Amino acid sequence: MLDRRLHLHLATWLGQWPAGPGLHVVASWRRARPAWDGRLRPAIAVDTGHSAVLSVPPERAEAVRALTAQPVEQLIPALPAAVGLPDWPTHDGAFRWTLAPAPLTDVGQWSPPTSPDLPAWLRLFDREVLVVRDADGRYLAGVGIKRHDAHGHELAVGTAPAARGRGLARRLVAQAARRVLDEGAVPTYLHDRRNLASARVAEAAGFPDRGWRSFGVYPA
């Protein structure tokens, strides 16, 4: 049985869950309003391999439904034009979640996103981010939490090139996942399937690959 928090997250975030077999296009007002970072997410899909929900703005639902007779690999590149943003990038990757993060030792400290020397991507967050610094205070790695709704929080992690290979990312992700669970939500983790380093971080942090897929149209 699907965890209740994950079920509520998907129903809230996408506008419908679950769905029957096949791909279901759902009109959701959330796709026409700014997301956690103030930017639009005009198309988001989650596919379990058995059924999928593709969430789009209400005024674009019919145009997107007209594409669903074709395979997903052909549908994805056609999505930007169908949602009225032909120059926007598409995304296609794995959708993971966990209820049991790996028991790795905590490594980071929670800090305001306005703290000195943080990379630009961490400054997008409006709440504390989890950061590792070296003995001289230089940034090494960090995690931000995308609070999509009250039930599901997505983790994003990044490591400075010079600090890679130390296991910092997996420890940060596991530590942040424990916080999300303590807050009553389910932690999720999305990554491009070609990003093998990110896949290894997810596995090591306790986010197994269940064969679920996520794709859509939204900023990098």
Side-chain angles (χ1 to χ4, degrees), residues 8 39 60 72 89 97 180 183:
L8 290 172
R39 300 184 294 177
R60 296 290 176 175
V72 171
W97 79 92
V180 169
E183 292 176 350

Side-chain angles (χ1 to χ4, degrees), residues 143-192:
V143 165
I145 301 177
K146 304 176 185 180
R147 292 175 169 84
H148 295 304
D149 49 62
H151 315 290
H153 299 168
E154 179 189 345
L155 305 182
V157 64
T159 306
R164 291 172 185 165
R166 304 184 194 178
L168 297 177
R170 65 186 62 181
R171 291 169 65 185
L172 283 173
V173 169
Q175 183 178 347
R178 287 190 285 271
R179 175 163 176 165
V180 169
L181 288 166
D182 288 344
E183 292 176 350
V186 61
T188 65
Y189 188 107
L190 281 64
H191 66 87
D192 190 306

Side-chain angles (χ1 to χ4, degrees), residues 35-119:
W36 63 273
D37 59 356
R39 300 184 294 177
L40 292 175
R41 301 293 190 278
I44 296 177
V46 174
D47 183 354
T48 69
H50 170 70
S51 64
V53 170
L54 171 54
S55 177
V56 299
E59 68 275 13
R60 296 290 176 175
E62 288 307 313
V64 174
R65 287 191 182 105
L67 302 174
T68 57
Q70 57 189 315
V72 171
E73 281 66 28
Q74 296 177 26
L75 180 150
I76 292 173
L79 275 177
V83 296
L85 296 163
D87 297 327
W88 280 42
T90 59
H91 301 266
D92 183 14
F95 180 97
R96 302 176 184 239
W97 79 92
T98 188
L99 302 178
L104 304 176
T105 306
D106 289 354
V107 69
Q109 299 292 325
W110 293 98
S111 305
T114 54
S115 298
D117 302 325
L118 290 183

